[in-house]
């Protein structure tokens, strides 16, 4: 009887260990230490066209360039333009990296003008934002 219990205990231990090891190695197999899932660019690199809209809004509100209400309206306006933006991305996907960068540089100014035309921010606020973008780009060079 003790022999059977001992065998059951060893068998359960072996099965449990095997299960833990297989899950552990499976999860490790998907981790590449040379690849990071963390974003490598933030709003501070807006001159390259890769920033996070929410971070930009937070910064503009914290610097009192725009109000929280304006930021919320801007976010809604941006959301309403998503289908248009997706079509735009499709249109330029075959351009070179430099051509895309130049395109987005012009597009972000155009988009800022659209926000002014929609009455979400004033021309003066847009000028402050453009100045902020230019200063950030100069600091990165």
């Amino acid at each position: 009887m003790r022999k059977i219990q001992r065998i059951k205990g060893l068998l359960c231990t072996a099965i449990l260990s095997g299960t833990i090891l297989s899950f552990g190695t499976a999860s490790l197999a998907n981790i590449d230490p040379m690849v990071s899932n963390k974003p490598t660019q933030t709003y501070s690199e807006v001159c390259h066209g890769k920033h996070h809209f929410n971070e930009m809004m937070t910064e503009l509100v914290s610097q009192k360039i725009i109000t929280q209400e304006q930021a919320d309206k801007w976010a809604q306006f941006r959301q309403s333009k998503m289908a248009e933006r997706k079509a735009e991305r499709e249109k330029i996907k075959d351009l070179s990296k430099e051509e895309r960068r130049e395109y987005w540089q012009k597009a972000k100014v155009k988009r800022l003008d659209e926000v002014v035309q929609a009455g979400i921010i004033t021309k003066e606020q847009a000028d402050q934002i453009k100045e902020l973008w230019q200063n950030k780009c100069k600091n990165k060079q």
Side-chain angles (χ1 to χ4, degrees):
M1 191 73 166
R2 284 191 137 196
K3 191 174 184 181
I4 293 174
Q5 286 179 335
R6 190 178 213 195
I7 292 172
K8 282 183 181 178
L10 288 174
L11 189 57
C12 287
T13 303
I15 291 171
L16 185 61
S17 297
T19 303
I20 290 172
L21 283 173
S22 67
F23 281 123
T25 55
S27 66
L28 289 176
N30 291 327
I31 298 174
D32 184 352
M34 301 304 287
V35 177
S36 172
N37 290 333
K38 294 180 183 176
T40 56
Q41 293 182 322
T42 61
Y43 175 60
S44 64
E45 296 174 301
V46 72
C47 52
H48 299 293
K50 294 184 179 180
H51 66 279
H52 295 54
F53 181 78
N54 291 335
E55 291 176 12
M56 180 181 72
M57 292 294 106
T58 301
E59 183 171 351
L60 294 175
V61 170
S62 71
Q63 291 188 17
K64 299 191 185 318
I65 295 174
I66 64 173
T67 66
Q68 184 61 52
E69 183 181 348
Q70 288 174 311
D72 295 340
K73 286 181 182 177
W74 194 341
Q76 290 172 345
F77 179 77
R78 180 177 181 261
Q79 187 64 35
S80 73
K81 298 284 189 171
M82 282 305 192
E84 182 182 315
R85 302 290 192 254
K86 186 176 181 180
E88 192 175 16
R89 282 191 302 274
E90 272 301 307
K91 184 177 82 174
I92 67 161
K93 72 179 182 181
D94 293 329
L95 297 178
S96 71
K97 186 176 181 178
E98 292 78 25
E99 290 171 323
R100 282 193 311 270
R101 181 175 289 158
E102 185 179 324
Y103 178 87
W104 290 122
Q105 285 290 348
K106 293 175 184 174
K108 78 177 177 187
V109 174
K110 177 185 141 223
R111 289 181 182 164
L112 190 59
D113 292 339
E114 288 175 357
V115 175
V116 172
Q117 290 171 356
I120 297 170
I121 63 173
T122 65
K123 175 84 170 98
E124 292 76 24
Q125 288 171 314
D127 292 341
Q128 286 180 300
I129 294 167
K130 287 176 187 175
E131 185 178 324
L132 178 69
W133 286 345
Q134 287 172 349
N135 290 337
K136 286 187 177 291
C137 290
K138 286 178 187 174
N139 292 337
K140 293 304 284 181
Q141 293 173 351

